[in-house]
Structures are given as C-alpha cells and as structure tokens.
Coordinates of all heavy atoms in Angstrom, one line a residue:
M1 N 0.8 -1.2 0.0 CA 0.0 0.0 0.0 C 0.9 1.2 0.0 O 1.2 1.8 1.0 CB -0.9 0.0 1.2 CG -2.2 -0.8 1.1 SD -3.2 -0.2 -0.3 CE -4.0 1.2 0.6
N2 N 1.3 1.6 -1.2 CA 2.1 2.8 -1.2 C 1.7 3.6 -2.5 O 2.5 3.7 -3.4 CB 3.6 2.5 -1.2 CG 4.5 3.7 -1.1 OD1 4.0 4.8 -0.7 ND2 5.7 3.6 -1.5
I3 N 0.5 4.1 -2.5 CA 0.0 4.8 -3.7 C 0.5 6.2 -3.6 O 0.3 6.9 -2.6 CB -1.6 4.8 -3.7 CG1 -2.1 3.4 -3.8 CG2 -2.1 5.6 -4.9 CD1 -3.6 3.2 -3.5
K4 N 1.2 6.7 -4.6 CA 1.7 8.0 -4.7 C 0.5 9.0 -4.9 O -0.3 8.8 -5.7 CB 2.7 8.2 -5.8 CG 4.1 7.7 -5.5 CD 5.0 8.3 -6.6 CE 6.4 7.6 -6.5 NZ 7.1 7.8 -7.8
T5 N 0.5 10.0 -4.1 CA -0.6 11.0 -4.2 C 0.1 12.4 -4.4 O 1.3 12.6 -4.1 CB -1.5 11.1 -3.0 OG1 -0.7 11.4 -1.9 CG2 -2.2 9.8 -2.8
R6 N -0.7 13.3 -4.9 CA -0.2 14.7 -5.0 C -1.5 15.6 -5.0 O -2.6 15.2 -5.3 CB 0.6 15.0 -6.3 CG -0.1 14.6 -7.6 CD 0.9 14.7 -8.7 NE 1.3 16.1 -8.9 CZ 2.4 16.5 -9.6 NH1 3.1 15.6 -10.3 NH2 2.7 17.7 -9.8
T7 N -1.2 16.8 -4.5 CA -2.3 17.7 -4.4 C -2.5 18.6 -5.6 O -1.5 19.2 -6.1 CB -2.1 18.6 -3.1 OG1 -1.8 17.8 -2.0 CG2 -3.3 19.5 -2.8
C8 N -3.7 18.6 -6.1 CA -4.0 19.5 -7.3 C -4.1 20.9 -6.8 O -4.9 21.2 -5.9 CB -5.3 19.0 -8.0 SG -5.9 20.1 -9.2
P9 N -3.4 21.9 -7.4 CA -3.5 23.2 -6.9 C -4.8 23.9 -7.3 O -5.1 25.0 -6.8 CB -2.3 23.9 -7.6 CG -1.9 23.1 -8.7 CD -2.4 21.7 -8.4
S10 N -5.5 23.3 -8.3 CA -6.8 23.9 -8.7 C -7.9 23.6 -7.8 O -8.6 24.4 -7.3 CB -7.0 23.5 -10.1 OG -8.2 24.1 -10.6
C11 N -8.1 22.3 -7.5 CA -9.3 21.9 -6.7 C -8.8 21.6 -5.2 O -9.6 21.4 -4.3 CB -10.0 20.7 -7.2 SG -9.0 19.2 -7.4
R12 N -7.5 21.7 -5.0 CA -6.9 21.5 -3.7 C -7.2 20.2 -3.0 O -7.4 20.1 -1.8 CB -7.3 22.7 -2.7 CG -6.8 24.0 -3.3 CD -7.0 25.2 -2.3 NE -6.6 26.4 -2.9 CZ -5.3 26.8 -2.9 NH1 -4.4 26.1 -2.4 NH2 -5.0 27.9 -3.5
R13 N -7.4 19.2 -3.9 CA -7.7 17.9 -3.3 C -6.5 17.0 -3.5 O -5.8 17.1 -4.6 CB -8.9 17.3 -4.1 CG -10.1 17.4 -3.2 CD -11.3 16.8 -3.8 NE -12.0 17.9 -4.5 CZ -13.0 17.7 -5.3 NH1 -13.5 16.5 -5.6 NH2 -13.6 18.7 -5.9
R14 N -6.3 16.1 -2.6 CA -5.2 15.2 -2.7 C -5.7 14.0 -3.4 O -6.7 13.4 -3.0 CB -4.7 14.8 -1.3 CG -3.3 14.1 -1.3 CD -2.6 14.4 0.0 NE -1.2 13.8 -0.1 CZ -0.2 14.5 -0.6 NH1 -0.4 15.8 -1.0 NH2 1.0 14.0 -0.8
K15 N -5.0 13.6 -4.5 CA -5.4 12.5 -5.3 C -4.3 11.6 -5.7 O -3.1 12.1 -5.7 CB -6.1 13.1 -6.6 CG -7.3 13.9 -6.4 CD -8.0 14.3 -7.7 CE -9.3 15.0 -7.4 NZ -10.1 15.1 -8.5
P16 N -4.6 10.3 -6.0 CA -3.5 9.5 -6.5 C -2.9 10.0 -7.8 O -3.7 10.6 -8.6 CB -4.2 8.1 -6.6 CG -5.6 8.3 -6.6 CD -5.8 9.6 -5.9
V17 N -1.6 9.7 -8.0 CA -1.0 10.2 -9.3 C -1.7 9.8 -10.5 O -1.7 10.5 -11.5 CB 0.5 9.8 -9.2 CG1 1.2 10.1 -10.6 CG2 1.3 10.6 -8.1
A18 N -2.3 8.6 -10.5 CA -3.0 8.1 -11.6 C -4.2 9.0 -12.1 O -4.6 9.0 -13.2 CB -3.6 6.7 -11.3
E19 N -4.6 9.9 -11.2 CA -5.7 10.9 -11.5 C -5.1 12.1 -12.3 O -5.9 13.0 -12.7 CB -6.3 11.4 -10.2 CG -7.2 10.4 -9.6 CD -8.6 10.3 -10.2 OE1 -9.2 11.4 -10.4 OE2 -9.0 9.2 -10.5
F20 N -3.8 12.1 -12.5 CA -3.2 13.3 -13.2 C -2.7 12.8 -14.5 O -2.2 11.8 -14.7 CB -2.0 13.8 -12.4 CG -2.4 14.4 -11.1 CD1 -2.7 13.6 -10.0 CD2 -2.4 15.8 -10.9 CE1 -3.1 14.2 -8.8 CE2 -2.8 16.4 -9.7 CZ -3.1 15.6 -8.6
P21 N -3.0 13.6 -15.6 CA -2.6 13.2 -16.9 C -1.1 13.3 -17.1 O -0.4 13.9 -16.3 CB -3.2 14.3 -17.8 CG -4.1 15.2 -17.0 CD -3.7 14.9 -15.6
G22 N -0.6 12.6 -18.1 CA 0.9 12.5 -18.3 C 1.5 11.4 -17.4 O 0.8 10.6 -16.9
G23 N 2.8 11.5 -17.3 CA 3.5 10.6 -16.4 C 3.9 9.3 -17.2 O 4.7 8.5 -16.7
A24 N 3.3 9.0 -18.4 CA 3.6 7.8 -19.1 C 4.8 8.0 -20.0 O 5.0 9.1 -20.5 CB 2.4 7.4 -19.9
G25 N 5.7 7.0 -20.1 CA 6.8 7.1 -21.0 C 7.8 8.2 -20.6 O 8.4 8.8 -21.4
G26 N 7.9 8.4 -19.3 CA 8.9 9.4 -18.8 C 8.4 10.9 -19.0 O 9.2 11.8 -18.7
L27 N 7.2 11.1 -19.4 CA 6.7 12.4 -19.5 C 6.4 13.0 -18.2 O 6.0 12.2 -17.3 CB 5.4 12.4 -20.4 CG 5.5 12.3 -21.9 CD1 4.1 12.0 -22.5 CD2 6.1 13.5 -22.5
P28 N 6.5 14.3 -18.0 CA 6.2 14.8 -16.7 C 4.7 14.8 -16.4 O 3.9 14.9 -17.3 CB 6.6 16.3 -16.8 CG 6.7 16.6 -18.2 CD 7.0 15.3 -18.9
V29 N 4.3 14.6 -15.2 CA 2.9 14.5 -14.8 C 2.4 15.9 -14.8 O 3.0 16.9 -14.3 CB 2.8 13.8 -13.4 CG1 1.3 13.8 -12.9 CG2 3.3 12.4 -13.5
H30 N 1.2 16.1 -15.3 CA 0.5 17.4 -15.3 C 0.3 17.8 -13.9 O -0.1 17.0 -13.0 CB -0.8 17.3 -16.1 CG -1.3 18.6 -16.5 ND1 -1.9 19.5 -15.7 CD2 -1.2 19.2 -17.7 CE1 -2.2 20.6 -16.4 NE2 -1.8 20.4 -17.6
P31 N 0.5 19.1 -13.6 CA 0.3 19.6 -12.2 C -1.2 19.5 -11.7 O -1.4 19.4 -10.6 CB 0.8 21.0 -12.2 CG 0.9 21.4 -13.6 CD 1.1 20.2 -14.4
L32 N -2.1 19.6 -12.7 CA -3.5 19.6 -12.3 C -4.1 18.2 -12.6 O -3.7 17.5 -13.5 CB -4.3 20.6 -13.1 CG -3.9 22.1 -13.1 CD1 -4.8 23.0 -13.9 CD2 -3.7 22.6 -11.7
C33 N -5.1 17.9 -11.8 CA -5.7 16.6 -11.9 C -6.6 16.6 -13.2 O -6.9 17.6 -13.8 CB -6.6 16.3 -10.7 SG -8.1 17.3 -10.6
R34 N -6.9 15.4 -13.6 CA -7.6 15.2 -14.9 C -8.9 16.1 -15.0 O -9.1 16.8 -16.0 CB -7.9 13.7 -15.2 CG -8.0 13.4 -16.6 CD -8.2 11.9 -16.8 NE -7.1 11.1 -16.3 CZ -6.0 10.9 -17.1 NH1 -5.9 11.3 -18.3 NH2 -4.9 10.2 -16.6
P35 N -9.8 16.0 -14.0 CA -11.1 16.8 -14.1 C -10.8 18.3 -14.2 O -11.4 19.0 -15.0 CB -11.8 16.5 -12.8 CG -11.3 15.2 -12.4 CD -9.8 15.1 -12.8
C36 N -9.7 18.8 -13.5 CA -9.4 20.2 -13.6 C -8.8 20.6 -15.0 O -9.1 21.6 -15.5 CB -8.4 20.6 -12.5 SG -9.2 20.6 -10.9
V37 N -8.0 19.7 -15.5 CA -7.4 19.9 -16.8 C -8.5 20.0 -17.9 O -8.6 20.9 -18.7 CB -6.4 18.8 -17.2 CG1 -6.0 18.9 -18.7 CG2 -5.1 18.9 -16.3
E38 N -9.5 19.0 -17.8 CA -10.6 19.0 -18.7 C -11.4 20.2 -18.6 O -11.9 20.8 -19.6 CB -11.4 17.7 -18.6 CG -10.6 16.6 -19.3 CD -11.1 15.2 -18.8 OE1 -12.2 15.1 -18.1 OE2 -10.5 14.2 -19.2
A39 N -11.7 20.7 -17.4 CA -12.5 21.9 -17.1 C -11.8 23.1 -17.7 O -12.4 23.9 -18.3 CB -12.8 22.0 -15.6
G40 N -10.5 23.1 -17.6 CA -9.7 24.2 -18.1 C -9.7 24.3 -19.6 O -9.9 25.4 -20.2
V41 N -9.6 23.1 -20.2 CA -9.7 23.1 -21.7 C -11.1 23.5 -22.2 O -11.1 24.3 -23.1 CB -9.4 21.6 -22.2 CG1 -9.8 21.5 -23.7 CG2 -8.0 21.2 -22.0
R42 N -12.1 23.1 -21.5 CA -13.5 23.5 -21.9 C -13.6 25.0 -21.7 O -14.2 25.7 -22.6 CB -14.5 22.8 -21.0 CG -15.0 21.5 -21.6 CD -16.3 21.1 -21.0 NE -16.2 20.9 -19.5 CZ -15.8 19.8 -19.0 NH1 -15.4 18.8 -19.7 NH2 -15.7 19.7 -17.7
R43 N -13.1 25.6 -20.6 CA -13.2 27.0 -20.4 C -12.4 27.8 -21.5 O -12.9 28.8 -22.0 CB -12.5 27.4 -19.0 CG -13.6 27.8 -18.0 CD -12.9 28.6 -16.9 NE -11.7 28.0 -16.3 CZ -11.7 27.1 -15.4 NH1 -12.8 26.5 -15.0 NH2 -10.5 26.6 -15.0
R44 N -11.2 27.3 -21.8 CA -10.4 27.9 -22.8 C -11.1 27.9 -24.2 O -11.2 28.9 -24.9 CB -9.1 27.3 -23.0 CG -8.0 27.9 -22.2 CD -6.6 27.6 -22.8 NE -6.3 26.2 -22.8 CZ -6.0 25.5 -21.7 NH1 -5.9 26.1 -20.6 NH2 -5.8 24.2 -21.8
L45 N -11.7 26.8 -24.5 CA -12.4 26.7 -25.8 C -13.6 27.6 -25.8 O -13.9 28.3 -26.8 CB -12.9 25.2 -26.0 CG -11.8 24.2 -26.4 CD1 -12.4 22.8 -26.5 CD2 -11.1 24.6 -27.8
A46 N -14.4 27.7 -24.7 CA -15.5 28.5 -24.6 C -15.1 30.0 -24.8 O -15.8 30.8 -25.5 CB -16.3 28.3 -23.3
S47 N -14.0 30.4 -24.1 CA -13.6 31.8 -24.2 C -13.1 32.1 -25.6 O -13.3 33.2 -26.1 CB -12.6 32.1 -23.2 OG -11.4 31.6 -23.5
R48 N -12.4 31.1 -26.2 CA -11.9 31.3 -27.6 C -13.1 31.5 -28.6 O -13.1 32.3 -29.4 CB -11.1 30.1 -28.0 CG -10.0 30.5 -29.0 CD -9.1 29.3 -29.4 NE -8.4 28.7 -28.2 CZ -7.9 27.5 -28.2 NH1 -7.9 26.7 -29.3 NH2 -7.2 27.1 -27.2
A49 N -14.2 30.7 -28.4 CA -15.3 30.8 -29.3 C -16.0 32.2 -29.1 O -16.4 32.8 -30.0 CB -16.3 29.7 -28.9
R50 N -16.0 32.7 -27.8 CA -16.5 34.0 -27.6 C -15.7 35.1 -28.3 O -16.3 35.9 -28.9 CB -16.6 34.3 -26.1 CG -17.9 34.3 -25.5 CD -18.0 35.0 -24.2 NE -16.9 34.6 -23.2 CZ -16.9 33.5 -22.5 NH1 -17.9 32.7 -22.5 NH2 -15.9 33.3 -21.7
T51 N -14.4 35.0 -28.1 CA -13.5 36.1 -28.7 C -13.6 36.0 -30.2 O -13.6 37.0 -30.9 CB -12.1 36.0 -28.3 OG1 -11.6 34.7 -28.5 CG2 -11.9 36.4 -26.8
R52 N -13.8 34.8 -30.8 CA -13.9 34.6 -32.2 C -15.1 35.4 -32.7 O -15.1 36.0 -33.8 CB -14.0 33.1 -32.6 CG -13.4 32.9 -34.0 CD -13.4 31.5 -34.4 NE -13.7 30.6 -33.3 CZ -13.2 29.4 -33.2 NH1 -12.3 29.0 -34.1 NH2 -13.5 28.6 -32.2
R53 N -16.2 35.3 -32.0 CA -17.4 36.0 -32.5 C -17.2 37.5 -32.4 O -17.7 38.2 -33.2 CB -18.6 35.6 -31.6 CG -19.3 34.4 -32.1 CD -20.7 34.3 -31.5 NE -20.8 34.2 -30.1 CZ -20.6 33.1 -29.4 NH1 -20.4 32.0 -30.0 NH2 -20.6 33.1 -28.1
Q54 N -16.5 38.0 -31.4 CA -16.4 39.4 -31.2 C -15.3 40.0 -32.0 O -15.3 41.2 -32.3 CB -16.1 39.7 -29.7 CG -17.2 39.5 -28.8 CD -16.8 39.5 -27.3 OE1 -15.6 39.5 -27.0 NE2 -17.8 39.6 -26.4
S55 N -14.3 39.2 -32.4 CA -13.1 39.8 -32.9 C -13.2 40.1 -34.4 O -12.6 39.5 -35.3 CB -11.9 38.8 -32.7 OG -12.2 37.6 -33.4
K56 N -14.0 41.2 -34.6 CA -14.1 41.7 -36.0 C -14.0 43.2 -35.9 O -14.4 43.8 -34.9 CB -15.4 41.3 -36.7 CG -15.3 39.8 -37.2 CD -16.2 39.7 -38.4 CE -15.9 38.3 -39.1 NZ -16.8 38.0 -40.2
K57 N -13.5 43.8 -36.9 CA -13.3 45.3 -36.9 C -13.4 45.8 -38.3 O -13.0 45.1 -39.2 CB -11.8 45.4 -36.3 CG -11.4 46.9 -36.1 CD -10.0 46.8 -35.6 CE -9.2 48.1 -35.8 NZ -9.6 49.1 -34.9
A58 N -14.0 47.0 -38.4 CA -14.1 47.6 -39.7 C -12.8 48.4 -40.0 O -12.3 49.1 -39.2 CB -15.3 48.5 -39.7
C59 N -12.3 48.1 -41.2 CA -11.1 48.9 -41.6 C -11.4 50.3 -41.9 O -12.4 50.6 -42.6 CB -10.5 48.2 -42.8 SG -9.2 49.1 -43.6
A60 N -10.6 51.2 -41.5 CA -10.9 52.7 -41.7 C -10.6 53.1 -43.1 O -11.0 54.1 -43.6 CB -10.0 53.5 -40.8
Q61 N -9.9 52.2 -43.9 CA -9.6 52.5 -45.3 C -10.6 51.9 -46.3 O -11.2 52.6 -47.0 CB -8.1 52.1 -45.6 CG -7.7 52.3 -47.0 CD -7.6 53.8 -47.4 OE1 -7.5 54.6 -46.5 NE2 -7.5 54.0 -48.6
C62 N -10.7 50.6 -46.2 CA -11.6 49.9 -47.2 C -12.9 49.6 -46.6 O -13.8 49.1 -47.3 CB -10.9 48.6 -47.7 SG -10.7 47.4 -46.4
A63 N -13.2 49.9 -45.3 CA -14.5 49.8 -44.7 C -15.0 48.3 -44.6 O -16.2 48.1 -44.4 CB -15.5 50.7 -45.3
Q64 N -14.1 47.4 -44.8 CA -14.6 46.0 -44.7 C -14.5 45.5 -43.3 O -13.6 45.9 -42.5 CB -13.6 45.1 -45.5 CG -13.9 45.0 -47.0 CD -13.0 44.0 -47.7 OE1 -13.4 42.9 -47.9 NE2 -11.8 44.4 -48.0
L65 N -15.5 44.7 -42.9 CA -15.5 44.1 -41.6 C -14.6 42.8 -41.7 O -15.0 41.9 -42.3 CB -16.9 43.7 -41.2 CG -17.2 43.5 -39.7 CD1 -16.9 44.8 -38.9 CD2 -18.6 43.1 -39.4
L66 N -13.5 42.9 -41.0 CA -12.5 41.9 -41.1 C -12.1 41.3 -39.7 O -12.3 42.1 -38.7 CB -11.2 42.4 -41.7 CG -11.4 42.8 -43.2 CD1 -10.3 43.7 -43.6 CD2 -11.5 41.6 -44.1
P67 N -11.7 40.1 -39.6 CA -11.3 39.5 -38.3 C -10.1 40.3 -37.8 O -9.2 40.8 -38.6 CB -10.9 38.1 -38.6 CG -10.8 38.0 -40.0 CD -11.6 39.1 -40.6
L68 N -9.9 40.4 -36.5 CA -8.8 41.2 -35.9 C -7.5 40.7 -36.3 O -6.5 41.4 -36.3 CB -8.9 41.1 -34.3 CG -9.9 42.0 -33.7 CD1 -9.9 41.9 -32.2 CD2 -9.7 43.5 -34.1
A69 N -7.4 39.4 -36.7 CA -6.1 38.9 -37.1 C -5.6 39.6 -38.4 O -4.5 39.5 -38.7 CB -6.2 37.4 -37.4
M70 N -6.5 40.3 -39.1 CA -6.2 41.0 -40.3 C -5.7 42.4 -40.0 O -5.4 43.2 -40.9 CB -7.4 41.1 -41.2 CG -7.8 39.8 -41.9 SD -6.5 39.2 -43.0 CE -6.7 40.4 -44.4
F71 N -5.6 42.8 -38.7 CA -5.1 44.1 -38.3 C -3.8 44.0 -37.5 O -3.7 43.0 -36.7 CB -6.2 44.8 -37.5 CG -7.4 45.1 -38.2 CD1 -8.4 44.2 -38.4 CD2 -7.6 46.4 -38.8 CE1 -9.6 44.5 -39.1 CE2 -8.8 46.7 -39.5 CZ -9.8 45.7 -39.6
H72 N -2.9 44.9 -37.7 CA -1.7 44.9 -36.9 C -2.0 45.3 -35.5 O -2.8 46.2 -35.3 CB -0.7 45.9 -37.5 CG 0.0 45.4 -38.8 ND1 0.9 44.4 -38.8 CD2 -0.2 45.8 -40.0 CE1 1.3 44.2 -40.0 NE2 0.6 45.1 -40.8
W73 N -1.4 44.6 -34.5 CA -1.5 45.0 -33.1 C -0.4 46.0 -32.8 O 0.7 45.8 -33.2 CB -1.4 43.7 -32.3 CG -1.3 44.0 -30.8 CD1 -0.2 43.9 -30.0 CD2 -2.4 44.3 -30.0 NE1 -0.6 44.2 -28.7 CE2 -1.9 44.5 -28.7 CE3 -3.8 44.5 -30.2 CZ2 -2.7 44.8 -27.6 CZ3 -4.6 44.9 -29.1 CH2 -4.1 45.0 -27.9
I74 N -0.8 47.1 -32.2 CA 0.2 48.1 -31.8 C 0.4 48.0 -30.3 O -0.5 48.5 -29.6 CB -0.3 49.5 -32.2 CG1 -0.8 49.5 -33.7 CG2 0.8 50.5 -32.1 CD1 -1.7 50.7 -34.0
P75 N 1.5 47.4 -29.9 CA 1.7 47.3 -28.4 C 1.7 48.6 -27.7 O 1.2 48.7 -26.6 CB 3.0 46.6 -28.3 CG 3.3 46.0 -29.7 CD 2.6 46.9 -30.7
A76 N 2.2 49.6 -28.3 CA 2.4 50.9 -27.6 C 1.0 51.5 -27.3 O 0.8 52.1 -26.2 CB 3.1 51.9 -28.5
S77 N 0.0 51.4 -28.2 CA -1.3 51.9 -27.8 C -2.3 50.8 -27.4 O -3.4 51.1 -27.1 CB -1.9 52.6 -29.1 OG -2.0 51.7 -30.2
R78 N -1.8 49.6 -27.3 CA -2.6 48.5 -26.8 C -3.9 48.4 -27.6 O -5.0 48.1 -27.0 CB -2.9 48.6 -25.3 CG -1.6 48.5 -24.5 CD -1.9 48.4 -23.0 NE -2.6 47.1 -22.7 CZ -2.1 45.9 -22.7 NH1 -0.8 45.7 -23.0 NH2 -2.8 44.9 -22.4
S79 N -3.8 48.6 -28.9 CA -5.0 48.5 -29.7 C -4.6 48.0 -31.1 O -3.4 48.0 -31.4 CB -5.8 49.8 -29.8 OG -4.9 50.7 -30.4
H80 N -5.6 47.7 -31.9 CA -5.3 47.3 -33.3 C -5.2 48.5 -34.2 O -5.9 49.5 -33.9 CB -6.3 46.3 -33.8 CG -6.2 45.0 -33.2 ND1 -6.7 44.6 -32.0 CD2 -5.5 43.9 -33.7 CE1 -6.4 43.3 -31.8 NE2 -5.6 42.9 -32.7
H81 N -4.4 48.4 -35.2 CA -4.3 49.5 -36.2 C -5.7 49.7 -36.9 O -6.5 48.7 -37.0 CB -3.3 49.1 -37.3 CG -2.7 50.3 -38.0 ND1 -3.4 50.9 -39.0 CD2 -1.6 50.9 -37.8 CE1 -2.6 51.9 -39.4 NE2 -1.5 51.9 -38.7
S82 N -6.0 50.9 -37.2 CA -7.3 51.2 -37.8 C -7.4 50.7 -39.3 O -8.5 50.6 -39.8 CB -7.7 52.6 -37.7 OG -6.6 53.4 -38.1
Y83 N -6.3 50.5 -39.9 CA -6.2 49.9 -41.3 C -6.0 48.4 -41.2 O -5.2 48.0 -40.4 CB -5.1 50.5 -42.1 CG -5.3 52.0 -42.5 CD1 -6.3 52.8 -42.0 CD2 -4.4 52.6 -43.4 CE1 -6.5 54.1 -42.4 CE2 -4.6 53.9 -43.8 CZ -5.6 54.6 -43.3 OH -5.7 55.9 -43.7
C84 N -6.6 47.7 -42.1 CA -6.3 46.2 -42.2 C -4.9 46.0 -42.8 O -4.3 47.0 -43.3 CB -7.4 45.5 -43.0 SG -7.4 45.9 -44.7
R85 N -4.4 44.8 -42.7 CA -3.1 44.5 -43.1 C -2.9 44.9 -44.6 O -1.9 45.6 -44.9 CB -2.7 43.1 -42.9 CG -2.4 42.8 -41.5 CD -2.2 41.3 -41.3 NE -2.1 41.0 -39.8 CZ -1.0 41.0 -39.1 NH1 0.1 41.2 -39.7 NH2 -1.1 40.7 -37.8
P86 N -3.7 44.5 -45.5 CA -3.5 44.9 -47.0 C -3.5 46.4 -47.1 O -2.7 47.0 -47.8 CB -4.7 44.3 -47.7 CG -5.1 43.1 -46.8 CD -4.9 43.6 -45.4
C87 N -4.5 47.1 -46.5 CA -4.5 48.6 -46.6 C -3.3 49.2 -45.9 O -2.7 50.1 -46.5 CB -5.8 49.1 -45.9 SG -7.3 48.7 -46.8
H88 N -2.9 48.6 -44.8 CA -1.7 49.2 -44.1 C -0.5 49.0 -45.0 O 0.3 49.9 -45.1 CB -1.5 48.4 -42.8 CG -0.5 49.0 -41.9 ND1 0.7 48.3 -41.8 CD2 -0.4 50.2 -41.2 CE1 1.5 49.1 -41.0 NE2 0.9 50.2 -40.6
S89 N -0.3 47.8 -45.6 CA 0.9 47.6 -46.3 C 0.9 48.5 -47.6 O 1.9 49.0 -48.0 CB 1.1 46.1 -46.7 OG 0.0 45.6 -47.3
A90 N -0.3 48.7 -48.2 CA -0.4 49.6 -49.3 C -0.1 51.0 -48.9 O 0.7 51.7 -49.6 CB -1.8 49.5 -49.9
Y91 N -0.5 51.4 -47.7 CA -0.3 52.7 -47.2 C 1.2 52.9 -47.0 O 1.8 53.9 -47.4 CB -1.1 52.9 -45.9 CG -0.7 54.1 -45.1 CD1 -1.0 55.4 -45.5 CD2 0.1 54.0 -44.0 CE1 -0.7 56.5 -44.8 CE2 0.5 55.1 -43.2 CZ 0.1 56.4 -43.6 OH 0.4 57.4 -42.9
M92 N 1.8 51.9 -46.3 CA 3.3 51.9 -46.0 C 4.1 52.0 -47.3 O 5.1 52.7 -47.4 CB 3.7 50.7 -45.2 CG 3.2 50.7 -43.8 SD 3.5 52.3 -42.9 CE 5.2 51.9 -42.3
A93 N 3.7 51.2 -48.3 CA 4.4 51.1 -49.6 C 4.3 52.5 -50.3 O 5.3 53.0 -50.8 CB 3.8 50.1 -50.5
A94 N 3.1 53.1 -50.2 CA 2.9 54.4 -50.8 C 3.8 55.5 -50.1 O 4.5 56.3 -50.7 CB 1.5 54.9 -50.8
R95 N 3.9 55.4 -48.8 CA 4.6 56.3 -48.0 C 6.1 56.1 -48.3 O 6.9 57.1 -48.4 CB 4.4 56.1 -46.5 CG 4.7 57.3 -45.7 CD 4.3 57.1 -44.3 NE 5.2 56.3 -43.6 CZ 5.3 56.2 -42.3 NH1 4.6 57.0 -41.5 NH2 6.2 55.4 -41.7
Y96 N 6.5 54.8 -48.4 CA 7.9 54.5 -48.7 C 8.3 55.1 -50.0 O 9.4 55.7 -50.2 CB 8.1 53.0 -48.6 CG 9.5 52.5 -48.9 CD1 10.5 52.8 -48.0 CD2 9.8 51.9 -50.1 CE1 11.8 52.3 -48.2 CE2 11.1 51.4 -50.4 CZ 12.1 51.7 -49.4 OH 13.4 51.3 -49.7
R97 N 7.4 54.9 -51.0 CA 7.7 55.4 -52.3 C 7.9 56.9 -52.3 O 8.7 57.5 -52.9 CB 6.6 55.0 -53.3 CG 6.9 53.7 -54.0 CD 6.0 53.5 -55.2 NE 4.6 53.6 -55.0 CZ 3.8 52.6 -54.5 NH1 4.4 51.4 -54.4 NH2 2.5 52.7 -54.3
R98 N 7.0 57.6 -51.5 CA 7.0 59.0 -51.4 C 8.3 59.5 -50.8 O 9.0 60.4 -51.2 CB 5.8 59.5 -50.6 CG 5.4 60.9 -50.9 CD 4.0 61.2 -50.5 NE 3.7 60.9 -49.1 CZ 2.7 60.2 -48.7 NH1 1.9 59.7 -49.5 NH2 2.6 59.9 -47.4
V99 N 8.7 58.8 -49.7 CA 10.0 59.2 -49.0 C 11.1 59.0 -50.0 O 12.0 59.9 -50.0 CB 10.2 58.3 -47.7 CG1 11.5 58.4 -47.2 CG2 9.1 58.6 -46.7
K100 N 11.1 57.9 -50.7 CA 12.2 57.7 -51.7 C 12.2 58.8 -52.7 O 13.3 59.3 -53.1 CB 12.1 56.3 -52.3 CG 13.1 55.3 -51.9 CD 12.9 53.9 -52.3 CE 13.3 53.7 -53.8 NZ 13.2 52.3 -54.1
A101 N 11.0 59.1 -53.2 CA 10.9 60.2 -54.2 C 11.4 61.5 -53.7 O 12.2 62.2 -54.4 CB 9.5 60.3 -54.7
D102 N 11.1 61.8 -52.4 CA 11.6 63.0 -51.8 C 13.1 63.0 -51.7 O 13.8 64.0 -51.9 CB 11.0 63.1 -50.3 CG 9.5 63.5 -50.4 OD1 9.1 63.9 -51.5 OD2 8.9 63.5 -49.3
K103 N 13.7 61.9 -51.3 CA 15.1 61.8 -51.2 C 15.8 61.9 -52.6 O 16.9 62.6 -52.7 CB 15.5 60.4 -50.6 CG 15.4 60.3 -49.1 CD 16.4 59.4 -48.5 CE 16.2 59.3 -47.0 NZ 15.5 58.0 -46.7
A104 N 15.2 61.4 -53.6 CA 15.8 61.5 -54.9 C 15.8 62.9 -55.5 O 16.7 63.3 -56.2 CB 15.0 60.5 -55.9
S105 N 14.8 63.7 -55.1 CA 14.7 65.0 -55.7 C 15.7 66.0 -54.9 O 16.1 65.8 -53.8 CB 13.3 65.5 -55.6 OG 12.9 65.6 -54.2
Ligands
ZN1 ZN1 -8.0 19.2 -9.5
ZN2 ZN1 -8.6 47.7 -45.3

C-alpha cells in the first residue's frame, strides 16, 4: 500500500498520481488533476469561441468588416491598427515610395 498522491493546486484535493494526466513514458505528470485539466480546456475553448465572435473590426480605409487577425496589433497603444493589413501595407508602400521620391529630388 504505497499509492503516490499529489495535491492538485486547482481543486486543492489530494489525489493518487493516476488521476493526473501525463507521467507515461517518462513524460512529466501534469500539475492539475484530470477533471481540472478538462474543465480548463473547456473554459479555454468557450472563451476562444466568444472572442472569435467578437473579434471583428471595420477597416478605416476599405471599410470591410475583417477579423482582428487582419489588423496589426500596436503594443504601444494596446489596440489594433485602424487599417487592415492589406490597406496598411499599401499605405506603407505608398509612404515609402514618397519618402524615396523625396530623397531622390
Ligand atoms: Zn483538480
Ligand atoms: Zn482595409
């Protein structure tokens, strides 16, 4: 009778190691017990589904409603760029050409 147990930091219950995922083939045992891991995965999936529904933004240039992944994230202002990626790169290319033209003259 020497069942290894460990305490799950999520539900704070002491459980046998067999209740924790992993541990097979030299893999590290997951710190959370199986029910807590599964609950966490479900929570993550639910929140991801929620953000997927919300994560759309109208581009200030082409006025298309596009997913946020289509906009550059600006860490300094903690917001997305108001232009979508294609519009932004077109804008940057135009600006670059203008700067180059200015330098050439
Ligand atoms: Zn747990
Ligand atoms: Zn656009």
